[in-house]
Amino acid sequence: MGSLDFIPEALRKDRARREQERAANLKAGMDPDEADAIYFGVSSKERWLQLCRDYEEAFGKKDK
């Protein structure tokens, strides 16, 4: 069977690409919540905000 060593590298490259895309979106004036939704692959800003509320309800508000 082939090696799966390439997977972590592929994930790092994908994360770097998504971080660059998010930074470009923010620089272009996109709403931060919308940029986060795109970064995390969520279908919409509204769904992203609902997921954040659900998380806070389940685990408490996360300190930044």
Side-chain angles (χ1 to χ4, degrees):
M1 189 182 314
S3 173
L4 298 179
D5 292 340
F6 70 92
I7 291 177
E9 181 62 26
L11 292 174
R12 281 191 291 276
K13 287 180 180 180
D14 181 60
R15 181 176 182 182
R17 180 195 53 79
R18 288 184 292 118
E19 287 174 351
Q20 289 175 346
E21 181 180 306
R22 182 180 182 278
N25 287 340
L26 291 172
K27 189 174 181 179
M30 182 179 282
D31 178 79
D33 290 323
E34 189 173 351
D36 287 343
I38 292 169
Y39 177 85
F40 288 105
V42 179
S43 59
S44 69
K45 174 184 171 181
E46 291 75 22
R47 179 69 181 129
W48 171 249
L49 293 174
Q50 183 62 51
L51 288 170
C52 291
R53 287 189 295 272
D54 292 347
Y55 180 90
E56 288 177 358
E57 184 178 302
F59 302 105
K61 189 167 182 134
K62 182 178 179 184
D63 295 329
K64 289 189 175 186

